[in-house]
Amino acid sequence: MAQVKRDDIVSLWTQGVQAVKDKSSCAAVITAKELSIVWGSDSRYWKWVFKTYPMISCEALEVAELIEVCWLEIDGKYSAINLIKGVNYGVYFVVELSDNLCMNGPVTLKLTCPNGTTEEHKEYLETMPKNTLVGLRVGEFCDTAACGCENTVKFSMNGCDGTTWKTGLTVIGAVIAPVIC
């Protein structure tokens, strides 16, 4: 099983796509449509489009482009039963940030591990590269043997100050993949 460095989002995404094709359990890709995006079905706030990202796929991907919203909340989950036990996994949101990005503060990235522990941190998207794929590291966990817990990995991105309009974010999806330090 190949592992890649944490910050190589293109390799992580490619590894996840290949795992899906091979019906392997070494990685996972969660598309934008599989995520829960608050207001995601309201065309006043989000636009669903097909975009091509040649570095990760020959096929167009359906992505969510943020028009504008005050309440930014994106949630995902994945059954850890589908992952290999004893492997250190990284969870990343895969996004594209446009030149007109406006978040007016950090987003909070939160990971709930299969054993129920949580970790969260803040990221300032304004400081990240624009017009290219960016991997927002949510966190890492080691998938351990069945522990009698629900065995679901949950992850989220929130910018919920509710007072400022946010724009300039395209959500491609999320990836869960083995990582090395």
Side-chain angles (χ1 to χ4, degrees):
M1 169 183 46
Q3 293 183 321
V4 294
K5 293 188 177 174
R6 289 183 176 92
D7 298 327
D8 190 354
I9 197 60
V10 172
S11 291
L12 289 170
W13 184 273
T14 304
Q15 181 179 356
V17 169
Q18 191 61 46
V20 170
K21 286 180 183 175
D22 296 345
K23 295 184 175 30
S24 160
S25 59
C26 66
V29 167
I30 297 94
T31 66
K33 273 291 191 190
E34 295 171 300
L35 297 170
S36 173
I37 301 176
V38 171
W39 299 108
S41 60
D42 190 324
S43 61
R44 294 176 297 171
Y45 304 111
W46 291 89
K47 178 170 61 171
W48 290 90
V49 298
F50 284 91
K51 287 182 82 172
T52 302
Y53 296 93
M55 70 283 292
I56 61 171
S57 176
C58 299
E59 301 171 13
L61 304 171
E62 189 171 17
V63 300
E65 288 184 347
L66 176 59
I67 297 169
E68 65 178 3
V69 70
C70 282
W71 191 272
L72 177 67
E73 184 175 344
I74 304 168
D75 297 296
K77 63 182 179 178
Y78 188 77
S79 176
I81 292 169
N82 298 321
L83 300 173
I84 298 170
K85 305 298 178 227
V87 172
N88 193 41
Y89 285 94
V91 180
Y92 302 82
F93 278 104
V94 182
V95 299
E96 182 179 19
L97 309 172
S98 65
D99 288 329
N100 71 335
L101 177 72
C102 180
M103 289 288 146
N104 292 313
V107 295
T108 301
L109 298 164
K110 181 178 178 181
L111 174 69
T112 303
C113 302
N115 67 4
T117 61
T118 62
E119 65 177 79
E120 71 177 54
H121 65 279
K122 297 186 182 306
E123 290 284 348
Y124 286 86
L125 302 185
E126 284 87 355
T127 64
M128 297 184 174
K130 307 300 184 282
N131 304 310
T132 189
L133 293 182
V134 175
L136 301 177
R137 186 187 70 80
V138 181
E140 294 181 11
F141 68 97
C142 183
D143 194 20
T144 57
C147 58
C149 50
E150 76 175 83
N151 282 325
T152 300
V153 179
K154 297 177 184 175
F155 47 96
S156 64
M157 178 188 338
N158 295 296
C160 301
D161 62 16
T163 61
T164 58
W165 290 99
K166 293 146 187 71
T167 190
L169 172 72
T170 298
V171 179
I172 288 86
V175 64
I176 300 172
V179 294
I180 57 173
C181 300

